[in-house]
Amino acid sequence: MSMSHLYGTDGADGVEMESFEVSDWDLQNEFNPHRQRHRQTKEEATYGVWAERDSDEERPSFGGKRSRDYSAPVSFVSAGLRKAAAEELSDEDSEEDEKPGKQEEIPKEFVPKKLKTGGNFKPSQKGFAGGTKSFVDFGSWERHTKGIGQKLLQKMGYVPGRGLGKNAQGIINPIEAKQRKGKGAVGAYGSERTTQSLQDFPVVDSEEEAEEEFQKELSQWRKDPNGGKKKPKYSYKTVEELKAKGRINKQLAAPQKELSQVKVIDMTGREQKVYYSYSQISHKHNIPDDSPQQPLGKDSKPQGFALPELEHNLQLLIDITEQEIIQNDRQLQYERDMVVNLSHEIQKMSEVLSHEEKAISNLSKVLDMVEECERRMQPGCENPLTLDECAKIFETLQDKYYEEYRMSDRVDLAVAIVYPLMKDYFKNWDPLKDCSYGTEIIAKWKSLLENDQLLSHSGQDLSTDAFHRLMWEIWMPYVRNIVARWQPRNCGSMVDFLDSWVNVVPVWILDNILDQLIFPKLQKEVESWNPLTDTVPIHSWIHPWLPLMQARLEPLYSPIRNKLANALQKWHPSDSSAKLILQPWKDVFTPGSWEAFMVKNIVPKLGMCLNELIINPHQQHMDAFYWVIDWEGMISVSSLVGLLEKHFFPKWLQVLCSWLSNSPNYEEITKWYLGWKSMFSDQVLAHPSIKDKFNEALDIMNRAVSSSVGGYMQPGARENIAYLTHTERRKDFQYEAMQERREAENMAQRGIGMAASSVPMNFKDLIQTKAEEHNIVFMPVIGKRHEGKQLYTFGRIVIYIDRGVVFVQGEKTWVPTSLQSLIDMAK
């Protein structure tokens, strides 16, 4: 099949051109399914599109192909005489004017015409008859059907005579075709839009604008036909542009400033130019130069105006003017910034001035108040200043003039004003007779003079804290005098005095009183105490000091125990005075020291007393047993049980066995057994060793009544003993069940309490919980760290925590310690 309908031929050169537009030949072929097909020749089958073909013949030609004879001579055909250009233009216009009329008479779009795409089709060809009629009778086939297409369009809202679409925006008339003049490409002969398309779509054609721009740019490269000189275009700078440029280039780096002073010689132009900075080169093309100088020819004219010196001077004046404008703009901006800065400075200084004026007025008022106090403290003043009035003046200073009060030296002010008044106030004071005298006024002065920022437990605060100095120099001498005359056995008045002042006096002063004044007096008195001759018990004048001194009394306990042990060497349990003397010390001594004292001095005496006890069922003396049982609360249960197992139960069981072997009265044995058991408390009876001893007695009685050997047996004895055994075992079981129930209840309450309280989440929370239980202060030290770990104060000990381990500060290094050791050190 030939491809000449796709590759058209140029009539002049015979060169095939590829055509991609849809031609009339394509349309006719599509609507003519019974067209005759071209029979491919052998040469076309071999060479394909490169096969030789005759482009002059019309396509399609089915009568055979005539080969061109290139060896024949060239023949010329006369085309007539060429008309002038004006005549050709007029002829073309006339032809174009005639075409619309012809189109109106005969619709050309339905008439087959000569195709321009490659070959030429003959209108009389049979194969395209159907294609010719297809446009005329388009849609006539509906006459032979039921008109389903028209009905479907009407159901969808189509109105005949209007366009398609929701808003009838579709076109009504079919698309018009416009014949191109020549054989060029699309758009080669201008716009191809029809009158109908311009009416329906009145949009400016972008192709036309692109063509105009292309022609405009193309004309710039063409030589001016007039041959005239191109007029130079000047660029102008406004003052605002110069200012903006000056602001951008305001801050130059050091290398740029150095380069700005470099001399530059420019030889790129018609003549040599000298610049004194690289920045001047940037202004080189602001005013364009003329075209480069050309050698003078015969027809060229010499240059009429060439004054390089004048041009240089003018350029220099322009540069100087630009620099002056930029410099003036910078100076103006600097002055404006200076005005704003000075206005802020004035505002700030005015605020400072008002603050200073207020401070001066407050200081003057404070000075007037201080001078008034000094005037009223003079010896001959009619209205002398009292301590209460002075406290009110200091309260006024603290409330109204707090800043000035904090800035002033309160120590010197208090020394000058308050100390003389305080000496006069405590001049006739006896602390033991009136222990609460002056506590209220001193508490008021504490809030006025004490420095909150200082720790009030060290004697080093004297130089900076007025209240501590006041108490040490004025109040403390009276206390020293009274303690020197005080008798330790009359402790009531001294304890009451210190109790009333414990919340007022600084901690370090109270510690000094207890350690340096009270404890030496008590120690001396304990050394002179004799428990055998003194009628006043020692606990009566030692125990009242426990709330104040607590662990400070520990050194006194050892000599007291030694003296009590010496007094108990010749003691007998029948003497009850020993219990009265020792009982108050049970809760004072530590449990270990108390148990050791009891085992060493009391338990041997009680064992001797039990050895002397004679068990006689017929005539029993219970005094020795009562003397031992009376110490049940003083000695531990284990010690008492040990005494009974060693010195009481062997003899008691032996008497029971001998009694049962002599035909006894079992009712008396039962009463005797129950009587001895009632002599012991429930706590002693609950001990496993005591239970075993009484169960052993029951077993002995059961064996005695169950044995058939012997003579006369008391009627009902076996049942009575069995009933006694069952009753006692049931009591033991009930007691054990009750104990287990109590323990379960205690465990449940303890579990509820632990659940209610916050469970420690980490080691720090555990330490805090232990500190709260033992009333120990645990808090972080602000701003202090060791190897990135926060430091804490645990009582008076400095610690830090690292991975669940407590480290205590030693003499040189940090030492790890346990939590219990930490608590003991803090106490």
Side-chain angles (χ1 to χ4, degrees):
M1 177 179 168
S2 175
M3 303 293 290
S4 61
H5 68 285
L6 295 177
Y7 296 92
T9 58
D10 192 356
D13 301 330
V15 179
E16 292 184 352
M17 296 182 298
E18 185 177 358
S19 177
F20 292 99
E21 71 270 11
V22 179
S23 63
D24 295 338
W25 186 85
D26 296 325
L27 295 175
Q28 290 177 0
N29 276 331
E30 290 299 326
F31 287 97
N32 186 16
H34 304 289
R35 64 184 180 274
Q36 295 181 4
R37 298 185 180 274
H38 171 66
R39 188 172 183 180
Q40 192 177 22
T41 63
K42 184 177 181 181
E43 188 177 1
E44 289 177 350
T46 303
Y47 298 103
V49 296
W50 289 278
E52 293 183 358
R53 63 178 62 86
D54 189 5
S55 61
D56 294 333
E57 295 181 358
E58 295 180 353
R59 280 285 290 124
S61 177
F62 306 103
K65 185 176 180 181
R66 182 179 60 184
S67 61
R68 182 177 295 184
D69 187 7
Y70 292 101
S71 63
V74 179
S75 60
F76 296 94
V77 180
S78 176
L81 298 175
R82 180 180 176 82
K83 297 181 182 181
E87 293 179 2
E88 291 181 355
L89 291 174
S90 63
D91 292 343
E92 291 178 0
D93 295 339
S94 63
E95 289 177 1
E96 290 179 359
D97 295 339
E98 291 176 0
K99 283 181 181 178
K102 293 178 181 180
Q103 289 178 357
E104 292 176 1
E105 295 174 2
I106 301 173
K108 291 184 68 177
E109 61 269 15
F110 299 106
V111 178
K113 51 190 174 182
K114 188 175 181 180
L115 299 177
K116 306 295 182 178
T117 56
N120 295 326
F121 291 95
K122 294 180 180 181
S124 62
Q125 221 168 350
K126 294 180 181 180
F128 295 94
T132 304
K133 294 180 180 181
S134 62
F135 290 93
V136 178
D137 298 332
F138 184 77
S140 61
W141 50 271
E142 274 199 349
R143 290 178 297 180
H144 306 289
T145 63
K146 296 182 180 180
I148 189 64
Q150 187 73 13
K151 291 179 181 179
L152 290 175
L153 288 174
Q154 289 179 357
K155 284 183 179 181
M156 289 185 286
Y158 172 71
V159 179
R162 299 180 62 183
L164 295 177
K166 181 179 180 180
N167 300 321
Q169 68 270 22
I171 61 175
I172 301 174
N173 299 325
I175 300 174
E176 295 182 1
K178 185 176 180 180
Q179 185 178 5
R180 196 175 302 138
K181 296 178 182 179
K183 298 181 180 180
V186 178
Y189 303 98
S191 176
E192 297 183 1
R193 296 187 62 178
T194 62
T195 306
Q196 178 185 352
S197 67
L198 291 174
Q199 291 177 359
D200 294 338
F201 306 100
V203 182
V204 179
D205 195 353
S206 60
E207 296 180 357
E208 297 178 1
E209 295 179 356
E211 180 66 22
E212 292 178 0
E213 293 178 359
F214 174 73
Q215 295 296 337
K216 185 177 179 180
E217 294 177 357
L218 188 63
S219 63
Q220 295 179 359
W221 295 92
R222 295 175 181 174
K223 188 175 180 181
D224 192 1
N226 298 328
K229 187 178 181 180
K230 189 175 180 180
K231 187 177 181 180
K233 296 181 180 180
Y234 293 91
S235 61
Y236 300 93
K237 285 185 180 179
T238 62
V239 177
E240 298 299 330
E241 291 177 354
L242 286 176
K243 291 180 181 178
K245 185 177 180 182
R247 294 190 188 99
I248 294 173
N249 301 330
K250 184 176 180 180
Q251 296 181 353
L252 294 175
Q256 294 177 343
K257 292 183 179 179
E258 295 176 359
L259 293 175
S260 63
Q261 305 300 327
V262 175
K263 181 179 179 181
V264 182
I265 301 174
D266 183 13
M267 302 182 68
T268 60
R270 293 179 298 178
E271 61 184 6
Q272 176 180 331
K273 294 182 180 180
V274 179
Y275 300 102
Y276 293 96
S277 65
Y278 285 111
S279 61
Q280 293 181 0
I281 300 179
S282 61
H283 306 296
K284 174 182 176 182
H285 299 287
N286 290 345
I287 301 177
D289 284 338
D290 296 338
S291 60
Q293 188 174 1
Q294 298 177 356
L296 296 175
K298 295 179 180 180
D299 299 334
S300 62
K301 297 180 181 181
Q303 191 172 0
F305 185 80
L307 296 174
E309 293 81 1
L310 180 59
E311 292 179 1
H312 174 73
N313 294 337
L314 290 176
Q315 185 65 37
L316 188 61
L317 289 174
I318 291 172
D319 295 342
I320 293 173
T321 305
E322 290 181 357
Q323 294 299 326
E324 288 180 355
I325 292 172
I326 294 173
Q327 189 66 26
N328 291 335
D329 178 64
R330 291 178 180 176
Q331 186 67 25
L332 179 61
Q333 187 65 32
Y334 173 76
E335 297 296 338
R336 288 175 179 172
D337 295 341
M338 184 61 69
V339 170
V340 174
N341 189 17
L342 290 176
S343 63
H344 286 296
E345 289 291 334
I346 290 172
Q347 184 179 359
K348 186 185 295 185
M349 295 306 295
S350 61
E351 293 177 358
V352 173
L353 182 61
S354 62
H355 180 73
E356 294 294 336
E357 289 177 354
K358 183 179 179 181
I360 290 172
S361 65
N362 291 339
L363 286 175
S364 62
K365 293 178 182 178
V366 171
L367 185 61
D368 294 339
M369 296 174 67
V370 173
E371 291 177 352
E372 179 67 20
C373 291
E374 291 179 353
R375 186 184 61 80
R376 294 179 61 183
M377 289 180 63
Q378 299 298 326
C381 181
E382 297 179 356
N383 186 15
L385 184 66
T386 62
L387 197 59
D388 293 334
E389 293 176 351
C390 186
K392 292 180 180 179
I393 292 173
F394 271 79
E395 286 180 356
T396 305
L397 291 175
Q398 192 174 19
D399 295 339
K400 295 184 178 180
Y401 311 103
Y402 182 71
E403 293 295 332
E404 290 77 10
Y405 179 73
R406 288 179 60 88
M407 291 169 56
S408 63
D409 193 355
R410 288 178 284 178
V411 177
D412 296 339
L413 187 63
V415 169
I417 298 176
V418 182
Y419 284 19
L421 297 176
M422 194 70 69
K423 286 182 180 180
D424 186 64
Y425 183 80
F426 288 106
K427 181 171 58 176
N428 299 322
W429 176 47
D430 188 359
L432 297 180
K433 293 181 180 180
D434 191 1
C435 59
S436 61
Y437 177 79
T439 53
E440 296 180 0
I441 192 67
I442 293 297
K444 185 184 294 185
W445 280 106
K446 180 180 181 180
S447 62
L448 294 174
L449 298 178
E450 190 172 21
N451 192 351
D452 298 335
Q453 297 179 355
L454 297 176
L455 296 175
S456 58
H457 62 266
S458 175
Q460 299 176 357
D461 300 338
L462 285 176
S463 59
T464 55
D465 196 282
F467 177 73
H468 291 193
R469 184 174 176 182
L470 173 68
M471 296 299 293
W472 183 258
E473 296 183 359
I474 305 299
W475 183 81
M476 195 63 183
Y478 294 97
V479 178
R480 291 195 190 97
N481 294 332
I482 198 64
V483 171
R485 296 182 283 108
W486 168 67
Q487 294 296 328
R489 299 199 180 193
N490 299 326
C491 63
S493 58
M494 184 60 69
V495 171
D496 294 339
F497 163 69
L498 293 179
D499 283 337
S500 60
W501 284 88
V502 68
N503 295 325
V504 181
V505 178
V507 177
W508 66 274
I509 294 180
L510 182 63
D511 293 342
N512 182 271
I513 294 173
L514 296 176
D515 294 337
Q516 305 296 329
L517 301 179
I518 302 298
F519 183 77
K521 299 278 287 186
L522 293 176
Q523 190 175 19
K524 186 177 180 180
E525 192 68 21
V526 168
E527 291 176 357
S528 62
W529 171 68
N530 187 359
L532 298 176
T533 58
D534 288 339
T535 57
V536 178
I538 189 172
H539 65 268
S540 63
W541 49 273
I542 292 293
H543 288 183
W545 291 104
L546 288 173
L548 287 173
M549 303 189 71
Q550 296 180 354
R552 291 186 178 91
L553 296 176
E554 284 287 345
L556 301 179
Y557 297 156
S558 180
I560 291 175
R561 285 194 293 268
N562 292 334
K563 291 192 175 186
L564 289 175
N566 294 330
L568 291 173
Q569 288 181 358
K570 297 181 180 181
W571 170 76
H572 191 268
S574 61
D575 185 5
S576 61
S577 61
K579 183 181 177 182
L580 297 176
I581 295 175
L582 295 177
Q583 190 173 9
W585 294 98
K586 180 182 178 182
D587 297 330
V588 176
F589 295 158
T590 60
S593 60
W594 174 258
E595 183 65 19
F597 181 81
M598 289 288 107
V599 170
K600 182 180 179 181
N601 300 288
I602 302 298
V603 172
K605 303 286 185 180
L606 298 179
M608 292 173 59
C609 186
L610 285 177
N611 283 330
E612 297 174 358
L613 176 64
I614 298 174
I615 299 176
N616 186 3
H618 303 287
Q619 188 178 2
Q620 184 67 52
H621 296 282
M622 301 293 296
D623 295 336
F625 184 80
Y626 290 148
W627 296 338
V628 175
I629 293 299
D630 194 29
W631 284 87
E632 181 182 349
M634 300 291 291
I635 62 177
S636 62
V637 177
S638 60
S639 299
L640 181 59
V641 170
L643 286 173
L644 295 175
E645 285 181 333
K646 185 177 180 181
H647 303 286
F648 173 74
F649 279 106
K651 295 189 295 183
W652 185 75
L653 292 174
Q654 186 179 1
V655 171
L656 177 63
C657 292
S658 61
W659 194 2
L660 289 173
S661 61
N662 295 322
S663 301
N665 187 354
Y666 286 96
E667 292 182 2
E668 293 180 358
I669 292 177
T670 303
K671 292 179 181 179
W672 180 79
Y673 171 84
L674 294 176
W676 276 108
K677 191 173 182 180
S678 63
M679 302 297 294
F680 299 97
S681 64
D682 295 338
Q683 188 177 5
V684 175
L685 291 175
H687 196 276
S689 299
I690 304 299
K691 285 183 180 180
D692 293 341
K693 296 297 180 182
F694 281 104
N695 290 331
E696 185 180 353
L698 290 175
D699 294 338
I700 293 171
M701 287 188 288
N702 284 320
R703 286 197 301 268
V705 296
S706 61
S707 61
S708 58
V709 180
Y712 175 77
M713 176 65 66
Q714 182 180 354
R718 183 177 301 175
E719 290 79 5
N720 292 335
I721 297 300
Y723 176 76
L724 175 63
T725 304
H726 177 71
T727 305
E728 293 298 320
R729 300 286 171 81
R730 187 178 61 183
K731 287 181 180 180
D732 293 341
F733 177 76
Q734 291 178 353
Y735 181 80
E736 291 177 358
M738 184 177 62
Q739 290 295 112
E740 291 178 356
R741 192 181 303 112
R742 288 178 181 176
E743 291 179 359
E745 292 177 357
N746 293 334
M747 290 294 294
Q749 292 179 357
R750 194 179 302 114
I752 294 173
M754 291 179 64
S757 61
S758 59
V759 179
M761 300 300 294
N762 50 29
F763 194 60
K764 177 188 171 185
D765 295 341
L766 178 61
I767 294 176
Q768 186 173 1
T769 304
K770 293 296 182 180
E772 292 175 357
E773 292 177 359
H774 295 85
N775 295 324
I776 299 173
V777 178
F778 176 66
M779 60 184 295
V781 181
I782 300 174
K784 297 294 184 181
R785 290 180 177 273
H786 176 72
E787 296 180 354
K789 305 296 188 302
Q790 176 67 48
L791 296 182
Y792 300 91
T793 56
F794 192 82
R796 298 186 182 182
I797 304 171
V798 180
I799 65 170
Y800 78 89
I801 305 169
D802 185 12
R803 291 176 291 183
V805 180
V806 180
F807 289 85
V808 180
Q809 186 177 15
E811 296 180 357
K812 295 182 180 180
T813 59
W814 293 83
V815 182
T817 184
S818 63
L819 184 57
Q820 187 61 40
S821 301
L822 179 66
I823 295 171
D824 295 338
M825 287 188 289
K827 288 184 176 181

